[in-house]
Structure formats: C-alpha cells, structure tokens
Amino acid sequence: MPANQIPVKSASARANASAARLNPVWYHWACATLLAAVFLGNILRWAFLDWSDPYHCGAMLNKGQWLDPGKWTTWQPEGCYHQPLKAAAYLDCLAAPAHSRSPSPRADVPTKRQALFVGDSSVRQLFFAFVRLVDGSKGAVPKGWESDAEKHTDRKVSFYVGAGTLDERSLELEFWWDPYLNQTKTESMLNRGTTTPSSLLVLGSGLWYLRNPESGGLASWGNMIHKTFDSLKRQQGSPRTALLSPWDSLELGSGVTVPGLLPSDVSDADRAAAVAEQVERRVERRRPGETIADNVVFLPVVDAITERLSPSRAETILHTDIEAMNADLFARLMHPNPPPVVVPAVFNDLLLATETEDGLHFSDRITDKQAELLLGWRCNDAVRKQSAQGSCCRRYDWTRPVQALLLCLLVVWAPLGALLGPRLAPSSPALAFLPSPSISAALSTFGLAMGYLFFADRSTVFLKENKDWDPIVFGGLTVAALVLGLVTTQNSGKDQGFLSRDITDEWKGWMQIAILIYHFFGASKISGIYNPIRVLVAAYLFMTGYGHFFYYYKKAEFGFDRIASVLVRLNLLSVVLPYTMNTDYVFYYFAPLVSWWYIIIYTTMAIGNQFNDRPAFLIAKLLACASLVTLFMHHTWLMSNIFDFLNAVFRIQWSAKEWSFRVTLDLFIVWGGMFSAYAFIKFKEHQVAERPWFPTARLVAIGTSVLAMIWYFWFELRLNKFTYNGYHAGVSIVPILAFVVLRNASPVLRLCSSRVFCFIGQCSLETFILQFHGWLASDTKSILLVFPATRWRAVNLVVSTICFIWLSHRVAGATGEITEWLVGKKKAKALPLPATAQLPSTTQGVVRDVVVGAEDGALGGVPESIPLMNQDKKDTGTLSPAPVENRRNSWPAWMAATAASLSGRAAAEGYASTDRRWKDQTVLSVLSNLGSLAQKYNSVKLALILVGLWVLNWVY
C-alpha cells in the first residue's frame, strides 16, 4: 500500500480520535503508566519500609493470618511466601550450624547436635510437633509415643543423618520439664557456654506461675525472666537491636535500628555507651567460641481461651496477667541492651477456640503449624537449596557474574542505544557499539521486561505470598472470564473458514486464561481440574501438528529461514530467561516441548517430501515416524546418552526421565493434529461439503461430538490425576476433536470470535512463559504482590493481571520483531500515524516505540502454532535477508570460500577473494568479516549465536 494512502477504516478511526482528543493507543500508555507506578511504588516500599527486615524473618514470627478460615490449614505470614520443608531438610538443618554459608555439613562441625526444649506444657507440645515434622513419614517414632511416659518428665528422641556412612550425623531432640525455669540443670546450662552449642534452644514459662500463686506469681516470673535473659546475654552476647533473622550476628544483631522499636527517651550516645559496656562485660565473662545455642527462642505465654478453662484454672489464670507477661517480654526486646532471643508473637495469633478442649493445650494442627513456622525461620536459609526462591527468611542466591552482565546488557545497552543513537553523528565510532535504530526499540522492550522479571522474582523488591485454593473464587473468576469473552464477541462479516486464524487465536486465548487461573489458585491438586487442563495443553500441541503439517504439505518450503524463524520465535524467551533468572531451559517446558514436536514434524514432512502428494506414502510415513518416536520416548537409554553428551560438551543438564514424562503425556496428540490437517485437505479436494449427504453427516458429527464431550468428563471425573496420566495420551484426542467439530459446525459460528480471547491468544506463548516470574513468583510456587498487604489480594489480582497481560503483549511484539531481525525482514507496508500523534522529539519517539511498539503488536514474527493460514489481517509477505550496510568490497580467500559454500554459489556476491594471506589477518579483521557475513547469511548469524550460548554455558 502506498505510504500516502489511508484505509477508510483507519481514516474513520483517526477522525473519531481527533474529535475526541483521545490517543487511539491510550490503553498502551495507561498500562505502561500503571506498570511504572507499580514498580516505583514497590521500590519505595522496599527502600523505606522493608529495609530493616527485607527477608521478612521478623514478619514470619510476628504477623500473619489464616487464608482459609474454617479449614485452618494455610497460614500466611505477612509479605512472604511460606512453604513447609521436607522432613529430611529439617533434619539436615538442625544437624548443621545455623551460620554456615553452605547448607552442607562441614568437617569441623560436631557429628552430634541437639535441639533443646525447656519449660512447661506449651513447650512440651511444641517439642512433640518438632518430632513429628522431623520424623515425617519415616516412622522412626511410633504413633502415640507422646503418651507413653508421664507428662511431667523429660523426653528425648534421636535421629540419624547418613547412618552407616562416613558423613553420619545425629540429632537429639530433647525436652526438659521445668515449668519455672529454675531447676539446677537449667541454670547450669544457661550459665555455662560450650564449644558444641545446641542448634536451637526453646524456652517457655509463665502459666505455672499464674496457676500456683504460692510460687510468687508475676513478681517471681519477672525475676526469673530477668535472671534468664542476663545469663543469655553473658553467654550469647547482646545484640544492638532485637534479633530478626537466624543469621544475625549475636554481637551486633541485625545491624539496623528500627524506628519506633527503641524508647524515644534514650539518646544515641547513651545507647552506644550501654552497648559498649555490655560488650566489655561479655568479653570478660565469656570465653571465645563458647555459646549456648545457635539460636534461642523464648515462647510467649499462651493466650488462654478463658471460656474453655476449668473453674479452678479460671480463678488464677487471668487474661490481664497473660497480657502483662507478654508485654514485658516484648518490652525487653525494645531495650537498648536486648536479650539475644526471638519471641514468636505469632504463636498466639495462631490459636483458635475450636482447637482446644481445656483452653490451654491446642490440637496438633495448631502446634504443628507453630513448629512449621519456627522451623521455617530457622531452616529456610540454612538449607536454601531445599527451599524455594522467595521463601520467608531465605536470602536470595548471589547473582552470578554472567547473569549480572547479561541483565545490565539487556536493561541498559538497548535503551541507551535507542536514546543516544539518533543523537550521534552518522560517522561516530560509538554507533558500532549500539544496536541498530531499526531494532533498538524492540530490544529495549525485551530488555526492560527481563529487568522487571528479575526484580519481581529474584529480589525482595516485590512481595510474594502463598497460593490459596478457594473453589468459590476460582469458579467466579472462571465465569467472569467467560462472560468477558462472550460480551466482546464480534461478527467479522464473512465466513473465516475452518480453524481460521481468528478461531485458533480465540481457542488459544480462552485456554490460556483457564491455565492462568488454574496456576494462580494452585488447583493441580484437584484431579477434576487437573485432568481437563492437561487437555488444554494437548490442544496447543494439536494445533502445532495441524498448522505445521498444513504449511509443509501446501507450501513444500523446507528452507533454513522457515525453520530458523519458527525455532527462534518459540525459544527466544525460554533461552534468555535461564541466564537472567538462573533457571534451566527445560524449566519453561512448553517452548521446548513445542520445539521438539516442530522438529519432528519438519523432519517427518521433509523425508521424501517429493512424494508427499501420494496418500499411501504419506500415511505410511506418518505411522512409521510415530512408531519410531514412541519407541524412542519409552526406551530412554538412547536419550540418556544424548543428554550425557550434551552435558559433557555444552554443559546442558537435562533429565531424560523428566523429559520422557513431559513428552509421553501427549505422545499421540501431535500426530492426531497432522492426520486431522490431512483429512481436512482431502475434505476440500473432494468437495465433500457439496455432497447431498453432507448435511446429515454434519448433524451426526455434531451429535457424536456432544456425546464425546459428555463421555470424556464422565471418564476423567472418576480418576485421580495419577491414574488419569496413564490414559491421557490416548483419550485427549476425543474432547479436542469434539471441540473442533462443535466450534466450526456452521458458518454462523465461524463468523464470530471474541476480541478478548483473540488478544490473549496472540500472545499466549508469552503469557505462558512470563507467568513464571511476572504474575506468579518463586518460580510459580507463589503469587506476586504488587500491593503490599494480604487484605488487598483482590485489588492485587486486578492490577497485577493488567500489568502482566500488557507486558506479555509487548514482549510478544518485541519477540516477533527480534525474530525478524535475526532471521530476515518481512516486506512491510506503510502504516498511518495515529490521529493525535504529533511529530515527536527523539526521546518521545523512543518512548513511544517502546510503549506502543509496532502497529500489529504481537502479530509480528512467525506464529507459533498455526502458521500462514487464513492470515488476511496481516501481510505475511516473504522472509528475505536483511539489507547489508557498509559491506566491504574485498575479502580474504578463506572468507570468500566460506561464503560460497554457505550460499551454494561458486563465488558469493560481494565477497571477492583477495591475495591477503592468513598470517596477515588480525583478530579485528576476522571478527569484522564474520560480522559482515552474518549480516548477509542467517545461518552464520544463528551459528554465531549458538557458539555464544555454548560459551555462556561454560562460563555461567
């Protein structure tokens, strides 16, 4: 289309926009502004509010709420993600030192460790809970062992790590009955440090002082607390501020002074003098290297449920006295010379009146959750390789040098080039180090998105919280998404054809929304939901088989540019993210899975492609290839050897067992898509729709499809997810073919499509991958909070979804443009400027290109599933090499020969050989020659990229 010719529709839109003074792309600017505000707001919150407790160790033990009232199974610490560890991780943690930088035991650590519990019945219940969690399902402790001995006696349980090996270690969980904390062995332990300290010391007392007034009551309890804390200060040291993290130095505490926690009438000079005096006293009284425990925990006095207390207990155990005791404990933590203990105030927040019979002792559900939180605080960082990224009280791993360099390159280099490039003179040597103006905007969008994902999921800038399965909210969101799709349905005015671009985009869109909702609520544990979601993943693969078969059968184009375009478009995100997020390529399993099947489809169709028009040959070839792939995937010895070779040469660590599981789940659906495409091609060739019996056959197909859908849901609802996985590869074709028939059953249905679903479908690949870090967090295990409070979860869902969908759409557009830049340029058509657009300055133009992008947005590049079918919305054009600027006119003989071999011609154009000898070449000239050759030949460009990735794998 000529540049000066404007379509009628565009002219009308421009006229309406001009009259309304509204930018036609206002939604891009609104979403970009919202995303920028979210990012800036979280940066400010992190810098000014969370600086004292960035890993939320203090919040984990002091603030939270139940997410599932009535069930009481999921406790949410404020602002962080909490997931219980496995029993083996708890054992490794308590058997190793708290302050070791490595989670693995060291040679100088004693082979026997102890976790000691001293106090009354509330401490004893916590001790029992610790034993249950550390034992897990190993059965080392028999069921009902808690009641095997007298209540008021000491208890001990031993566990062993690596029994019978050179690394054998043992852990003793021991409880001392001492409700007043005044027995001789307790006082001796508190006043005598040791070179083999306990890994954890838990103390608790209070209720017995209230229950027995003759003990001295509150006054005696206060004297005991003062004496106990003084002993701990002498042996452990006195931190400068209240301890928050298990790795805090016992000499200095957290190293920060939290505003509002210290008395305002204590001056900095007085505080410093008190700390200096205490340090001096500690040095005099404690021998170096001798402490009591790695961490000391003093439990708050149990907040008794008054209405459940017996009359005799209710007379002496008063709620006001308990409040006074706990207030005294927390006041001592705010003293300028605080004790080296943590007091988990959240223990009383966990208590429920429905979970106690006597008002003092609570069910295992409550005490197990208390132990789980305390063990998480103590162990999440100590065994960080066994805990999830983003967990409460777990420090993020150090950013690797290559990872940091790549992030800086992506976040800084492209935007800097986009801003500075137009301002530099054409002859400036700096232009050689900046991206081309034609691609700088797309690279900037892509790079800034990678930076946002890193801050969101690899730092404490954004908060993370647990997923919460709520069937009512899950169903409500699903219905709301369906209604939104229906109300945005539009009539295209003509029959789009069978499985048209609009229909497949809509199909991918609503499936992606369903998958997103499924992941947000962590619904994988519900078999009745998991099973249909597996069908949605299979449907993507069905479209992959259908679309690529259709293309290669019709076009018979098996050139390098096509396969390179598809693979680069599919894998750009999943190749870059492992380096920037320190994950693995297979972790983003969908792109590798589709790529795997695309290569199989390409190979199958390319073998003997000149005979593809012969039905007998083609069908036999498809069946033979399907059989070979099935054998290869079920007998993994060859795959294991291949993966071992990749690990040895390229440092690629893939699991053959995991990959076989991923592929075999949907082993036959791609072939079903290919056969369906072939059936439709023959359907059109033989004009079956014109036969007189076709209307009857269509009605039969519709009825059969309805029955097939009913049968599938009846079948899958009867099976748990593990049993269903064994049937899925064979039965998934049933609901998919049924849906295809029903969705394309009549021209009326093919006329309509949902704009919202189509929009999501156009960036479904990006939404699937970016959800790992940009909508969910902790590598999909938790949810990302853009509003820093659990009570704002509903608002958070709306805002984070808007930001996430817009970011996915922009990354999809940028990925398409980068693919075209890497592989080839489309023959583009000129597009009119928006009605309200002014001729911008350089900076405004760059910002506009980054925020708004290309006119066709995510439609740029090569579609990932249904390629070049019914794409009347865009000019598909042809892929051609990008123009080469400032190419040299003479080349060394070896370069000319290389170019000739790659191009298939006797002499590559523009690469005339010279007499310059190899020894006269310089490194810069060789690199320059390779760079120029890469500009002309996509194979050279992509080969250089693969070599670069190989090097990155070795230096990462």
Side-chain angles (χ1 to χ4, degrees):
M1 181 182 293
N4 59 355
Q5 183 178 347
I6 300 175
V8 175
K9 185 177 179 180
S10 297
S12 174
R14 285 165 56 82
N16 294 336
S18 180
R21 299 296 179 187
L22 181 66
N23 193 320
V25 290
W26 64 268
Y27 51 90
H28 280 293
W29 294 102
C31 292
T33 302
L34 179 62
L35 183 62
V38 163
F39 182 74
L40 180 61
N42 279 279
I43 286 285
L44 294 175
R45 189 214 77 252
W46 171 77
F48 293 100
L49 298 180
D50 287 354
W51 60 275
S52 62
D53 188 21
Y55 295 100
H56 301 280
C57 296
M60 186 179 190
L61 295 184
N62 290 285
K63 191 175 182 182
Q65 66 181 61
W66 289 104
L67 288 181
D68 51 354
K71 295 182 178 179
W72 316 115
T73 58
T74 305
W75 177 264
Q76 175 59 67
E78 185 67 33
C80 63
Y81 162 61
H82 170 64
Q83 180 68 27
L85 299 174
K86 295 181 179 179
Y90 291 138
L91 186 56
D92 289 343
C93 163
L94 295 178
H99 307 300
S100 172
R101 288 188 176 273
S102 172
S104 60
R106 304 177 308 186
D108 60 337
V109 177
T111 58
K112 181 178 180 180
R113 298 302 306 278
Q114 177 194 52
L116 181 60
F117 298 76
V118 184
D120 55 17
S121 56
S122 63
V123 181
R124 182 182 61 213
Q125 278 197 294
L126 186 65
F127 164 76
F128 290 157
F130 261 66
V131 172
R132 287 192 294 269
L133 293 183
V134 174
D135 179 56
S137 58
K138 294 190 293 291
V141 178
K143 187 175 181 180
W145 68 277
E146 296 95 335
S147 57
D148 288 348
E150 294 292 333
K151 288 184 177 181
H152 302 161
T153 57
D154 297 347
R155 306 292 294 271
K156 180 190 296 186
V157 178
S158 296
F159 297 93
Y160 296 90
V161 183
T165 67
L166 295 177
D167 296 327
E168 180 177 348
R169 297 175 182 280
S170 66
L171 169 69
E172 281 188 354
L173 295 180
E174 188 170 1
F175 169 71
W176 294 352
W177 171 257
D178 186 1
Y180 298 104
L181 293 183
N182 62 356
Q183 291 184 6
T184 303
K185 64 177 180 179
T186 301
E187 293 182 350
S188 175
M189 178 266 299
L190 292 174
N191 288 283
R192 185 183 69 250
T194 175
T195 56
T196 58
S198 300
S199 60
L200 183 67
L201 172 62
V202 179
L203 304 170
S205 176
L207 290 179
W208 277 65
Y209 282 96
L210 297 180
R211 180 70 178 88
N212 302 297
E214 63 275 10
S215 64
L218 284 176
S220 294
W221 178 86
N223 291 332
M224 180 274 297
I225 292 295
H226 182 78
K227 183 179 179 180
T228 300
F229 284 2
D230 270 355
S231 298
L232 289 172
K233 291 175 188 178
R234 286 194 299 270
Q235 299 303 325
Q236 296 285 105
S238 180
R240 189 173 64 188
T241 62
L243 295 177
L244 296 175
S245 309
W247 59 79
D248 281 345
S249 169
L250 295 180
E251 298 283 335
L252 298 176
S254 62
V256 296
T257 302
V258 184
L261 287 186
L262 298 177
S264 58
D265 57 346
V266 179
S267 67
D268 291 339
D270 293 340
R271 187 178 302 115
V275 171
E277 179 184 355
Q278 177 62 20
V279 170
E280 181 180 358
R281 184 170 65 250
R282 182 173 65 253
V283 170
E284 291 176 353
R285 301 186 185 181
R286 179 170 59 92
R287 288 181 292 176
E290 293 191 354
T291 57
I292 299 173
D294 292 339
N295 299 109
V296 182
V297 177
F298 201 99
L299 301 185
V301 181
V302 175
D303 193 359
I305 308 299
T306 306
E307 58 271 21
R308 297 295 181 94
L309 293 175
S310 64
S312 60
R313 286 175 172 172
E315 289 180 2
T316 57
I317 301 178
L318 303 178
H319 184 67
T320 53
D321 291 341
I322 294 175
E323 284 187 338
M325 287 177 163
N326 287 328
D328 180 77
L329 286 176
F330 293 113
R332 293 174 187 271
L333 296 181
M334 295 187 292
H335 195 271
N337 179 25
V341 302
V342 293
V343 180
V346 75
F347 274 29
N348 278 336
D349 297 335
L350 285 160
L351 303 181
L352 300 167
T354 57
E355 296 294 322
T356 179
E357 295 180 356
D358 60 7
L360 295 178
H361 305 95
F362 291 81
S363 66
D364 290 350
R365 176 184 300 181
I366 300 299
T367 55
D368 284 355
K369 189 61 65 175
Q370 291 174 335
E372 181 185 297
L373 289 172
L374 188 55
L375 279 168
W377 175 86
R378 170 64 176 79
C379 296
N380 282 348
D381 191 73
V383 289
R384 65 178 65 179
K385 289 186 178 180
Q386 302 179 62
S387 58
Q389 295 267 14
S391 298
C392 299
C393 208
R394 179 198 186 277
R395 290 173 289 189
Y396 284 96
D397 297 330
W398 282 99
T399 304
R400 296 170 180 259
V402 175
Q403 180 186 8
L405 181 62
L406 286 175
L407 283 167
C408 291
L409 187 68
L410 289 169
V411 176
V412 177
W413 174 67
L416 191 65
L419 291 172
L420 296 182
R423 291 179 166 84
L424 297 175
S427 59
S428 173
L431 289 175
F433 302 96
L434 297 177
S436 169
S438 62
I439 197 60
S440 59
L443 289 175
S444 298
T445 300
F446 190 87
L448 291 173
M450 296 303 101
Y452 173 80
L453 296 179
F454 178 83
F455 280 105
D457 200 23
R458 289 297 183 268
S459 74
T460 56
V461 170
F462 284 77
L463 303 181
K464 294 89 179 172
E465 287 195 350
N466 292 56
K467 296 178 181 180
D468 177 32
W469 166 248
D470 188 324
I472 296 177
V473 179
F474 176 87
L477 279 179
T478 304
V479 172
L482 177 62
V483 171
L484 182 61
L486 292 176
V487 299
T488 57
T489 299
Q490 63 179 0
N491 191 322
S492 63
K494 63 176 181 179
D495 188 347
Q496 298 292 315
F498 184 81
L499 279 183
S500 66
R501 177 65 184 269
D502 281 346
I503 289 177
T504 54
D505 279 345
E506 178 194 79
W507 190 5
K508 290 187 292 182
W510 69 257
M511 289 194 304
Q512 187 57 47
I513 292 174
I515 291 172
L516 289 173
I517 297 175
Y518 163 84
H519 284 160
F520 186 86
F521 286 94
S524 61
K525 55 183 174 286
I526 311 298
S527 296
I529 299 174
Y530 167 87
N531 299 342
I533 291 295
R534 289 301 324 163
V535 173
L536 302 189
V537 176
Y540 279 101
L541 298 176
F542 174 88
M543 284 188 274
T544 297
Y546 184 98
H548 289 302
F549 177 93
F550 200 104
Y551 176 87
Y552 286 120
Y553 184 87
K554 286 291 188 180
K555 299 286 186 179
E557 179 189 335
F558 297 93
F560 175 80
D561 281 353
R562 174 66 192 180
I563 188 173
S565 298
V566 173
L567 290 179
V568 170
R569 176 70 177 84
L570 281 172
N571 292 282
L572 187 59
L573 262 178
S574 53
V575 166
V576 173
L577 281 172
Y579 295 103
T580 59
M581 304 299 290
N582 194 18
T583 53
D584 184 75
Y585 171 69
V586 180
F587 175 71
Y588 310 96
Y589 72 92
F590 184 72
L593 187 63
V594 177
S595 301
W596 166 264
W597 281 113
Y598 171 73
I599 293 173
I600 291 175
I601 295 167
Y602 174 87
T603 304
T604 302
M605 296 301 294
I607 295 173
N609 63 84
Q610 66 272 27
F611 304 113
N612 282 346
D613 58 344
R614 301 180 183 180
F617 171 80
L618 183 58
I619 292 175
K621 179 173 67 170
L622 292 177
L623 292 175
C625 290
S627 301
L628 290 175
V629 171
T630 301
L631 287 174
F632 178 78
M633 295 311 306
H634 280 294
H635 301 278
T636 59
W637 60 268
L638 180 58
M639 190 193 310
S640 298
N641 292 331
I642 294 173
F643 284 2
D644 289 342
F645 171 80
L646 292 176
N647 185 28
V649 178
F650 300 103
R651 298 296 294 273
I652 297 174
Q653 298 180 0
W654 294 343
S655 168
K657 181 179 179 181
E658 173 68 17
W659 185 243
S660 175
F661 170 75
R662 290 290 186 186
V663 174
T664 53
L665 268 178
D666 302 293
L667 188 57
F668 307 122
I669 194 63
V670 173
W671 305 106
M674 297 172 72
F675 277 110
S676 297
Y678 189 55
F680 176 70
I681 291 170
K682 293 303 178 183
F683 177 91
K684 298 293 287 185
E685 287 180 0
H686 294 286
Q687 298 181 343
V688 175
E690 307 298 328
R691 305 294 176 89
W693 48 265
F694 178 73
T696 302
R698 183 173 67 88
L699 292 176
V700 171
I702 293 174
T704 303
S705 298
V706 171
L707 292 177
M709 279 288 191
I710 295 173
W711 172 86
Y712 171 77
F713 283 104
W714 170 84
F715 175 78
E716 67 92 4
L717 288 173
R718 297 170 58 247
L719 304 176
N720 64 57
K721 58 187 289 186
F722 304 104
T723 305
Y724 173 81
N725 281 340
Y727 294 97
H728 173 74
V731 304
S732 60
I733 190 68
V734 175
I736 291 174
L737 287 181
F739 173 81
V740 169
V741 170
L742 295 174
R743 181 65 182 84
N744 296 272
S746 71
V748 176
L749 292 174
R750 296 192 296 269
L751 282 171
C752 303
S753 59
S754 169
R755 288 179 293 174
V756 168
F757 291 160
C758 286
F759 178 82
I760 302 298
Q762 290 164 7
C763 56
S764 58
L765 177 65
E766 285 69 29
T767 54
F768 193 95
I769 296 175
L770 294 185
Q771 67 168 316
F772 284 67
H773 309 294
W775 195 55
L776 305 176
S778 303
D779 297 334
T780 74
K781 296 181 179 66
S782 64
I783 62 173
L784 188 70
L785 293 187
V786 297
F787 278 86
T790 304
R791 64 181 180 275
W792 294 102
R793 276 205 169 199
V795 178
N796 176 81
L797 175 61
V798 174
V799 175
S800 65
T801 301
I802 293 172
C803 294
F804 162 68
I805 295 297
W806 178 80
L807 186 67
S808 300
H809 176 70
R810 288 299 303 119
V811 170
T815 303
E817 293 181 49
I818 295 171
T819 300
E820 294 168 5
W821 174 65
L822 288 173
V823 181
K825 275 286 186 181
K826 290 193 309 177
K827 295 178 180 178
K829 56 184 179 180
L831 295 170
L833 291 174
T836 56
Q838 306 294 328
L839 290 177
S841 66
T842 302
T843 303
Q844 291 174 334
V846 169
V847 174
R848 182 198 63 207
D849 291 342
V850 171
V851 171
V852 178
E855 184 73 15
D856 58 355
L859 292 175
V862 179
E864 69 274 11
S865 58
I866 305 293
L868 304 179
M869 292 177 54
N870 304 302
Q871 298 188 59
D872 54 347
K873 288 190 174 183
K874 56 180 284 192
D875 178 16
T876 57
T878 58
L879 293 172
S880 59
V884 181
E885 301 174 0
N886 300 323
R887 241 182 357 169
R888 298 180 58 163
N889 295 320
S890 62
W891 298 91
W894 71 273
M895 184 63 73
T898 303
S901 65
L902 289 171
S903 62
R905 297 192 294 270
E909 179 184 355
Y911 293 85
S913 177
T914 68
D915 294 330
R916 194 175 188 184
R917 293 175 298 178
W918 170 257
K919 66 178 183 178
D920 297 326
Q921 299 291 331
T922 65
V923 175
L924 290 178
S925 66
V926 172
L927 293 178
S928 177
N929 294 343
L930 284 174
S932 298
L933 193 61
Q935 289 183 8
K936 184 171 181 62
Y937 295 102
N938 294 326
S939 56
V940 177
K941 184 189 301 182
L942 295 178
L944 291 176
I945 293 174
L946 290 177
V947 170
L949 293 175
W950 175 43
V951 174
L952 278 179
N953 285 343
W954 277 95
V955 301
Y956 193 78

